[in-house]
Amino acid sequence: MLNPRDRLIVALDVSSVAEAEALVAKLGEAVTFYKIGYQLGFAGGLALAERLAQSGKQVFVDMKLHDIGNTVAQGVKSVARLGASFLTVHGYPQTMHAAVDARRGTSLRILAVTVLTSYNDADLAAAGYDFTVGELVAERAAQARDIGVDGLVCSAAEAEIVRPLLGPGMVLVTPGIRPMQTDADDQKRIMTPGEAVRAGADYLVVGRPVIAADDPKAAAEAIVAEIAAAA
Ligand code: C5P
């Protein structure tokens, strides 16, 4: 069983390491797991990822890798050396195989993104796919399971559908979380932390409701309390 506190992943969606460090200091012991994506990663955030891991925090490197197998494998090895706990790759079979092979013997877990949540059926058709979003999510989830991927990222709204497709030991990580009485921002399909946990999410990724709150630490603690109550 996971500790409720370790199930909250705060997205450090800021543009500088200084801003990120100020947030991490403010959040203190309330947050144990951070996500670093393109915005911060390409602004010095990967060195911060290594420092956070060394200080005992868990780090999710959200770089959604996709390239030829050898390039993916070498990238995965470098991310593992940073001490990161989670890394995302796109859910293409070659990419997933390369990433899973390369993370062996490390504590890094590979998460596959099945279909980006900004895609609808028309976007898939425009990209040359002959699948609906639902079909492609199910196909890629089954491939991820068979390849030995450690988990999937999906919207909280999809968690209930994706959960039964997971293999044993696989984790489900869901963004699109909005605590009661917060702004939806640009997220269209949102769930509260309690709803996401009840829908089968293992880890919840939360950005703006924590990092843009007047009191980020109180906001994080309220989410952890909601996770604990629903668990
Ligand atoms: O601020 P907010 O809570 O909406 O941030 C959610 C985080 O999760 C962002 O870092 C965003 O990139 C990420 N994410 C998402 N939807 C996905 C995949 C990732 O919102 N489908």
Side-chain angles (χ1 to χ4, degrees):
M1 272 302 279
L2 288 165
N3 181 333
R5 192 173 297 280
D6 299 331
R7 298 175 69 175
L8 168 64
I9 303 177
V10 171
L12 287 174
D13 292 334
V14 293
S15 308
S16 73
V17 170
E19 271 176 277
E21 282 176 327
L23 260 170
V24 169
K26 242 186 237 171
L27 291 166
E29 296 304 310
V31 174
T32 62
F33 213 145
Y34 287 102
K35 181 171 91 73
I36 295 178
Y38 291 171
Q39 186 184 1
L40 182 61
F42 295 135
L46 296 175
L48 175 65
E50 189 166 25
R51 290 200 297 280
L52 285 172
Q54 280 166 356
S55 76
K57 301 294 182 190
Q58 296 202 78
V59 182
F60 172 0
V61 174
D62 187 15
M63 289 291 176
K64 298 187 179 69
L65 304 190
H66 182 48
D67 207 311
I68 61 169
N70 180 60
T71 301
V72 169
Q74 298 310 328
V76 167
K77 286 180 185 171
S78 292
V79 173
R81 282 194 288 270
L82 293 176
S85 299
F86 287 168
L87 168 67
T88 39
V89 304
H90 281 282
Y92 290 79
Q94 254 191 29
T95 295
M96 294 192 286
H97 268 298
V100 165
D101 286 346
R103 68 94 170 89
R104 282 189 214 291
T106 75
S107 54
L108 180 65
R109 289 199 271 178
I110 303 297
L111 306 178
V113 176
T114 54
V115 178
L116 293 170
T117 50
S118 57
Y119 274 58
N120 61 22
D121 292 346
D123 295 312
L124 281 185
Y129 290 90
D130 194 15
F131 284 111
T132 64
V133 170
E135 287 165 351
L136 194 54
V137 167
E139 178 68 22
R140 288 189 169 163
Q143 288 171 334
R145 178 195 61 213
D146 295 344
I147 289 167
V149 168
D150 303 294
L152 295 180
V153 180
C154 73
S155 74
E158 282 168 351
E160 226 151 11
I161 303 155
V162 171
R163 184 87 229 171
L165 304 173
L166 297 188
M170 282 178 81
V171 297
L172 204 55
V173 179
T174 62
I177 305 294
R178 287 296 176 270
M180 235 75 89
Q181 292 160 343
T182 51
D183 199 323
D185 301 305
D186 55 355
Q187 298 281 12
K188 296 199 177 86
R189 289 173 292 148
I190 55 173
M191 281 195 175
T192 67
E195 285 167 344
V197 167
R198 285 189 291 273
D202 297 297
Y203 295 89
L204 314 187
V205 175
V206 185
R208 288 161 288 183
V210 170
I211 68 173
D214 291 335
D215 184 344
K217 189 171 186 184
E221 279 169 345
I223 293 169
V224 171
E226 242 198 272
I227 294 172

